[in-house]
Amino acid sequence: MTKKALALEVISRLKKEYPDAKCSLDYNEAWKLLVSVRLAAQCTDARVNIVVEKLYEKFPDVNALAEAPVEEIEEIVRPCGLGKSKARDINACMRELRDKYNGQVPEDFDQLLALPGVGRKSANLIMGDVFGKPAIVTDTHCIRLCNRIGLVDHITEPKKVEMALWKIVPPEEGNDLCHRFVLHGREICSARTAPACDRCCLNDICKKRIK
């Protein structure tokens, strides 16, 4: 089976397994997803969803966060870890949205990537979830599963995994596939415990490259 054929089969099976896959970060505006995805680095989405409620109570919009003292942002987001750098990035990002984009999140990948604290993973998430454009979010679940399944061969650098997936995954499928990788990675193909291969819908086609 070629990698492209394998990718199509993985997409088909995970669609059936997780038909309603979506981002597990709570947001109702694009800028809030930018904030949440920055806070999610080395932190669980569940914790981020709790912390941002307190953050938005005090700073309810882009302007408020742009004008907020970094120390006050840090005090609220500290439970997410790396509070100082995350607070600094959030404040700088909101200031740039205010000053360059009239408070709106840009719909261009390179402009997103240029925002403070925004990497390829964050930019792709915004492109896919907010703007409905082709996107591949190479988080730890995606990278782990793609290597185990055999969609990529021993590649761990996020950008290289992303570029490899663009070659074999239909553009319109990438974003949802990555959300399904997250769910499958949490429920079946975990990094912290032995994967539950006996319950995996990909069992017969997976390369099982498990370290």
Side-chain angles (χ1 to χ4, degrees), residues 133-163:
K133 296 190 175 182
I136 291 177
V137 181
T138 49
D139 65 0
T140 56
H141 293 290
C142 176
I143 294 168
R144 182 176 74 256
L145 268 64
C146 285
N147 277 281
R148 286 181 174 181
I149 294 166
L151 293 173
V152 301
D153 299 316
H154 314 292
I155 304 173
T156 56
E157 185 182 322
K159 184 177 180 180
K160 288 183 178 179
V161 173
E162 180 192 335
M163 294 301 111

Side-chain angles (χ1 to χ4, degrees), residues 22 48 69 97-98 109 122 160 173:
K22 61 181 181 179
V48 171
L97 289 185
R98 178 195 64 190
F109 185 83
S122 304
K160 288 183 178 179
E173 298 286 358

